[in-house]
C-alpha cells in the first residue's frame, strides 16, 4: 500500500492510494488535496507547510489502518471476492466524508460529526465538471482549493456545513477566516465566486439552498499590485550564474517562459510532440481559453530546448516561484516597491524589495511588456499569448513611469 501525489509538478495535487489485490493494482483518490511542496514523499505524509497537516495525516493513517484491517480480514477468513467487490470495499473505506477527524494531535482517534451532504455534493460537483471536459485543468484545481478551504473552515469552527446555513452570518465568518489566513480580498473573492456557482447549480438541482447566498459579494481590487521586469533587470537575471541545478533549471524555465509567454501551468505540460523543429514553433492547446496557439521558438529558447533534448524541465509552480525570487535577488533586483492589498475593509501597504514580488506571472507580464517596448502590435502578441480580450491583455502591460514619460516626450519632440 502506498500514498502518492497524482500531479507532483502542479501547485496542488490529490493524494492517491495504491493497493494490490490478487495481482491487480487499484489506484484511486483519497479525496484529499494538498500543496505539493507540503508533501513528504518518503514518509507519505503532509508536512507542517500545510495549514491542516494534522487532520490530513490523521485521515491518511486512518485510511491505512482500515485498509490493512480490511485486507487482513479477507485473508484470515479466506474470503474470495472479485476485484470489483474489493474495489467497492476500499472506496467505502476512503470516503472522505467518513474520515473527517479531530485536528487535535492528542485526539486523532476521535471523529468529528460533520455531515457528509454538503462537502460530498461539492466533490460530486467538481468531478462532474471535470469529466465534462468543458473546464480547464487550472479551473478544476481552483475548485479543489475552494473545497479544501471550506473543509478546513468547517473543522476549525467545528461547524456543520449545510445548504441551509449559507446565509449572511456564514459569509461574514468565512470571509474573516480567509482574510485571517492571509488571503487578500482578490483571492478570497475567487473562492466566494466558486462557492456561489456551486450553490446556484445545487439550487437548479432542487437542493434547498438558503436564498441569502445570492447576496454574497466577491470583492475585487480594481488595480491589483503587479510589476514587470525592465530590460536591464531581465539581462541581469540572464547573466546570473546558478549555484546549483535547481537554480539552473529555474533560469532556463525563465528564459522559455519570457520568450513564449506561456502560463506556467501550460508550460509544464508541453511535451516533445508539441515542438516542431522544422517550423520552429510550439503548437499547444490552451485549456483556459480552449484554443490552440502557435508560439515561435526564438534562438535563446532553442538553446534551452536543445540542452534538455526538447523536454521541458519539470518543477512545481510553487518551487518555481520561490526559485525565481532567489534568482532575482542574486541579480540585484532589489528596488523597493509598494504592494497595496485589501483584507476585509482594511487596506494594507507593504514595502518590499522587488525580488520578493517575483513570480511566474511577472515573467509572463515582463515578456508581454518587453514585446510592446519593441513595437510589436498588441493583436500580434495576443495571438501568441492566447488572450482573447484586449481588456484582459492590458492587465499584463506594466511600463515603468519613466518609460511612459520618455515615450510621450519623444513623440512630441520628434526624438
Amino acid at each position: 500500500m502506498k500514498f502518492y501525489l497524482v500531479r507532483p509538478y502542479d501547485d496542488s495535487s490529490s493524494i492517491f492510494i495504491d493497493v494490490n489485490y490478487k495481482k491487480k493494482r487499484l489506484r484511486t483518490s483519497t479525496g484529499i488535496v494538498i500543496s505539493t511542496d507540503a508533501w513528504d514523499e518518503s514518509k507519505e505524509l503532509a508536512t507542517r507547510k500545510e495549514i491542516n497537516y494534522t487532520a490530513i495525516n490523521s485521515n491518511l493513517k486512518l485510511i491505512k489502518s482500515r485498509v490493512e484491517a480490511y485486507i487482513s480480514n479477507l485473508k484470515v477468513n479466506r474470503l474470495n471476492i472479485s476485484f470489483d467487490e474489493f474495489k467497492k470495499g476500499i472506496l467505502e473505506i476512503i470516503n472522505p466524508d467518513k474520515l473527517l477527524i479531530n485536528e487535535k494531535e492528542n485526539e486523532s482517534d476521535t471523529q468529528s460529526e460533520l455531515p457528509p451532504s454538503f462537502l460530498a455534493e461539492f466533490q460530486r460537483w467538481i468531478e462532474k465538471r471535470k469529466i465534462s471536459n468543458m473546464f480547464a485543468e487550472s479551473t478544476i484545481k481552483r475548485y479543489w482549493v475552494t473545497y479544501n478551504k471550506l473543509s478546513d473552515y468547517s473543522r476549525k469552527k467545528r461547524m456543520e456545513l449545510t445548504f441551509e446555513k449559507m446565509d449572511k452570518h456564514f459569509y461574514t465568518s468565512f470571509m474573516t477566516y480567509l482574510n485571517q489566513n492571509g488571503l487578500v480580498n482578490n483571492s478570497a473573492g475567487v473562492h466566494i465566486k466558486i462557492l456561489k456557482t456551486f450553490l446556484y447549480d445545487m439550487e437548479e438541482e432542487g437542493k434547498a439552498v438558503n436564498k441569502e447566498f445570492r447576496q454574497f459579494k466577491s470583492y475585487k481590487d480594481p488595480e491589483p499590485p503587479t510589476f514587470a521586469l525592465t530590460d536591464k533587470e531581465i539581462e541581469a537575471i540572464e547573466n546570473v550564474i546558478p549555484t546549483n541545478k535547481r537554480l539552473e533549471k529555474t533560469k532556463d524555465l525563465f528564459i522559455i517562459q519570457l520568450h513564449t509567454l506561456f502560463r506556467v501551468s501550460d508550460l509544464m505540460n508541453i511535451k516533445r510532440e508539441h515542438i516542431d523543429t522544422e517550423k520552429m514553433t510550439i503548437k499547444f492547446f490552451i485549456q483556459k481559453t480552449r484554443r490552440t496557439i502557435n508560439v515561435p521558438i526564438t534562438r535563446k529558447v532553442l538553446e534551452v530546448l536543445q540542452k534538455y533534448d526538447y523536454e521541458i524541465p519539470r518543477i512545481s509552480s510553487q518551487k518555481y516561484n520561490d526559485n525565481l525570487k532567489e534568482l532575482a535577488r542574486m541579480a540585484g533586483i532589489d528596488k523597493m516597491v509598494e504592494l497595496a492589498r485589501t483584507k476585509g475593509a482594511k487596506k494594507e501597504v507593504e514595502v518590499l524589495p522587488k525580488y520578493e514580488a517575483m513570480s511566474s506571472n511577472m515573467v509572463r507580464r515582463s515578456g508581454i511588456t518587453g514585446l510592446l517596448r519593441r513595437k510589436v502590435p498588441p493583436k500580434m502578441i495576443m495571438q501568441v499569448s492566447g488572450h482573447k480580450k484586449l481588456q484582459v491583455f492590458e492587465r499584463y502591460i506594466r511600463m515603468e513611469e519613466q518609460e511612459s514619460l520618455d515615450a510621450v516626450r519623444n513623440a512630441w519632440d520628434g526624438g
Side-chain angles (χ1 to χ4, degrees):
M1 186 194 320
K2 179 181 179 181
F3 293 111
Y4 66 97
L5 300 186
V6 69
R7 295 186 179 279
Y9 298 113
D10 291 346
D11 286 341
S12 60
S13 171
S14 294
I15 301 176
F16 269 49
I17 185 173
D18 187 327
V19 188
N20 290 319
Y21 179 72
K22 288 185 175 182
K23 297 182 180 181
K24 288 186 178 181
R25 177 169 287 177
L26 172 61
R27 292 173 176 166
T28 188
S29 173
T30 61
I32 302 171
V33 181
I34 187 175
S35 298
T36 52
D37 65 341
W39 178 249
D40 188 323
E41 187 177 2
S42 59
K43 294 181 180 179
E44 299 177 23
L45 292 171
T47 67
R48 291 178 181 269
K49 290 183 179 180
E50 183 70 29
I51 189 170
N52 58 336
Y53 77 98
T54 305
I56 288 175
N57 290 341
S58 296
N59 278 341
L60 293 176
K61 290 174 183 177
L62 185 58
I63 290 173
K64 185 176 182 180
S65 65
R66 288 181 175 179
V67 170
E68 287 176 344
Y70 176 65
I71 294 175
S72 176
N73 180 61
L74 293 178
K75 291 179 178 178
V76 169
N77 294 293
R78 297 182 180 179
L79 298 176
N80 187 21
I81 63 175
S82 67
F83 184 74
D84 286 341
E85 290 174 310
F86 174 78
K87 180 179 179 180
K88 182 179 178 182
I90 294 295
L91 293 179
E92 287 179 355
I93 289 172
I94 66 175
N95 183 339
D97 294 303
K98 295 179 181 178
L99 295 168
L100 293 170
I101 56 183
N102 198 310
E103 277 193 291
K104 296 181 181 178
E105 293 186 21
N106 296 327
E107 300 177 10
S108 60
D109 293 332
T110 306
Q111 288 191 341
S112 297
E113 294 299 325
L114 295 177
S117 58
F118 187 90
L119 292 176
E121 288 290 356
F122 204 102
Q123 279 195 322
R124 180 185 66 81
W125 178 76
I126 296 174
E127 292 297 339
K128 182 179 178 181
R129 289 198 157 209
K130 181 180 179 180
I131 63 176
S132 72
N133 290 323
M134 295 175 63
F135 302 92
E137 186 176 339
S138 58
T139 301
I140 300 300
K141 283 184 196 175
R142 284 195 291 272
Y143 292 164
W144 280 117
V145 174
T146 301
Y147 170 86
N148 275 350
K149 296 295 183 187
L150 289 165
S151 178
D152 187 59
Y153 168 84
S154 67
R155 283 194 287 265
K156 291 282 179 63
K157 298 292 183 180
R158 295 290 182 260
M159 172 187 170
E160 296 181 352
L161 287 182
T162 66
F163 292 109
E164 293 76 12
K165 289 186 178 180
M166 294 295 106
D167 55 15
K168 294 177 183 177
H169 173 74
F170 163 79
Y171 169 75
T172 302
S173 178
F174 187 52
M175 279 293 291
T176 301
Y177 156 81
L178 293 174
N179 290 151
Q180 288 176 344
N181 280 273
L183 294 189
V184 296
N185 284 359
N186 278 7
S187 301
V190 171
H191 297 301
I192 296 298
K193 186 177 179 180
I194 290 172
L195 175 60
K196 287 184 70 175
T197 301
F198 163 68
L199 293 175
Y200 272 119
D201 283 356
M202 292 300 99
E203 195 174 51
E204 286 186 7
E205 289 186 11
K207 299 288 188 300
V209 184
N210 192 313
K211 303 296 182 185
E212 289 186 17
F213 86 87
R214 298 180 182 183
Q215 300 175 44
F216 292 178
K217 295 181 180 179
S218 54
Y219 292 102
K220 189 170 184 178
D221 292 336
E223 187 69 22
T226 54
F227 307 95
L229 297 169
T230 64
D231 286 348
K232 287 185 178 179
E233 289 170 337
I234 290 171
E235 185 179 358
I237 292 178
E238 290 178 340
N239 289 335
V240 167
I241 300 176
T243 55
N244 52 50
K245 290 289 184 182
R246 170 178 59 85
L247 291 177
E248 180 183 359
K249 186 186 294 185
T250 300
K251 179 183 172 182
D252 291 335
L253 283 169
F254 167 82
I255 292 171
I256 296 175
Q257 189 185 17
L258 181 75
H259 286 246
T260 62
L261 310 182
F262 278 117
R263 297 176 184 85
V264 68
S265 57
D266 293 320
L267 180 62
M268 296 304 172
N269 284 309
I270 293 173
K271 299 177 182 177
R272 187 179 301 190
E273 56 262 33
H274 299 130
I275 301 170
D276 190 330
T277 53
E278 290 185 8
K279 295 181 179 179
M280 291 293 287
T281 59
I282 299 174
K283 190 174 183 178
F284 190 77
F285 179 75
I286 304 296
Q287 283 285 349
K288 186 171 184 178
T289 56
R290 302 197 68 78
R291 61 188 293 191
T292 299
I293 61 171
N294 261 318
V295 178
I297 297 175
T298 64
R299 176 179 54 79
K300 288 185 177 180
V301 171
L302 180 62
E303 290 175 1
V304 175
L305 291 176
Q306 289 175 335
K307 177 180 176 180
Y308 292 94
D309 193 23
Y310 296 95
E311 294 283 356
I312 301 294
R314 307 293 177 190
I315 187 173
S316 75
S317 299
Q318 184 59 55
K319 289 177 182 176
Y320 180 45
N321 285 331
D322 292 342
N323 295 344
L324 283 172
K325 289 177 173 59
E326 190 172 347
L327 275 178
R329 180 184 59 78
M330 294 170 67
I333 303 173
D334 53 9
K335 173 185 174 182
M336 301 306 288
V337 296
E338 283 190 359
L339 281 181
R341 295 170 173 171
T342 307
K343 291 183 180 179
K346 185 179 178 183
K347 188 171 184 177
E348 299 178 355
V349 178
E350 183 181 7
V351 180
L352 72 168
K354 192 173 181 179
Y355 67 79
E356 285 289 350
M358 188 70 173
S359 68
S360 62
N361 280 335
M362 189 192 286
V363 178
R364 178 168 152 89
R365 200 176 302 119
S366 302
I368 290 172
T369 303
L371 289 173
L372 287 169
R373 288 195 194 106
R374 289 159 178 77
K375 313 301 182 186
V376 180
K379 287 290 184 182
M380 289 186 177
I381 301 175
M382 289 172 67
Q383 278 188 300
V384 174
S385 67
H387 287 101
K388 287 183 176 180
K389 298 179 180 179
L390 185 60
Q391 183 181 6
V392 176
F393 172 79
E394 287 175 343
R395 296 177 193 165
Y396 282 78
I397 303 171
R398 287 293 180 273
M399 295 289 188
E400 293 283 313
E401 182 180 25
Q402 191 59 48
E403 289 182 271
S404 301
L405 294 174
D406 291 343
V408 173
R409 184 182 296 112
N410 291 336
W412 284 113
D413 292 345

